[in-house]
Amino acid sequence: MVHGPMGSRTTIDRLLSRRVIVGECWEWEGSRNKQGYGRLKLAGKYRRVHRVMADLVGLTGTGPQVLHTCDNPPCFNPAHLFRGTQQENAVDEVSKGRHPKTKVTHCPAGH
């Protein structure tokens, strides 16, 4: 049985019951936010599913944020998650072309 700060086996059961395996990713088939991240209501609050999984498995790392190696927002496979800082998340986002500003090819004013 997996234990963690967010709950018990019932939370894991809830997560796994909404899992669809796509390649190596565990995609959340439940509710998602507008960025595509899975969300689950726990103790009256919505939480991002990948963050809940990271807490349940005791994921460690350099910071409080939970990042994806697969760059797939609905994925909550713990093998694809790692903890990092806001700065590491921003560098990862820019280096992989996911930051909105990396898609800008010219100035909106025509420069």
Side-chain angles (χ1 to χ4, degrees):
M1 181 181 282
V2 178
H3 294 281
M6 293 308 302
S8 65
R9 177 98 173 119
T10 59
T11 303
I12 291 281
D13 289 342
R14 286 179 66 192
L15 292 173
L16 297 180
S17 74
R18 304 302 299 267
R19 171 183 66 175
V20 174
I21 298 175
V22 178
E24 294 181 10
C25 290
W26 297 359
E27 290 192 1
W28 180 251
E29 70 171 357
S31 175
R32 295 182 188 179
N33 67 16
K34 62 184 175 182
Q35 293 84 22
Y37 291 97
R39 62 186 205 146
L40 176 70
K41 197 170 193 176
L42 287 175
K45 286 182 65 176
Y46 281 103
R47 302 251 348 259
R48 288 187 182 184
V49 171
H50 68 289
R51 292 179 183 171
V52 172
M53 180 59 84
D55 290 343
L56 284 170
V57 300
L59 192 68
T60 61
T62 59
Q65 297 208 351
V66 180
L67 291 71
H68 290 84
T69 59
C70 60
D71 295 324
N72 184 8
C75 180
F76 65 102
N77 180 344
H80 294 186
L81 305 175
F82 65 101
R83 289 210 184 264
T85 64
Q86 174 61 37
Q87 183 177 0
E88 289 168 329
N89 193 20
V91 168
D92 184 58
E93 186 178 44
V94 169
S95 72
K96 294 176 179 173
R98 290 183 289 106
H99 190 278
K101 299 283 184 186
T102 60
K103 294 171 179 62
V104 175
T105 58
H106 64 282
C107 174
H111 300 107

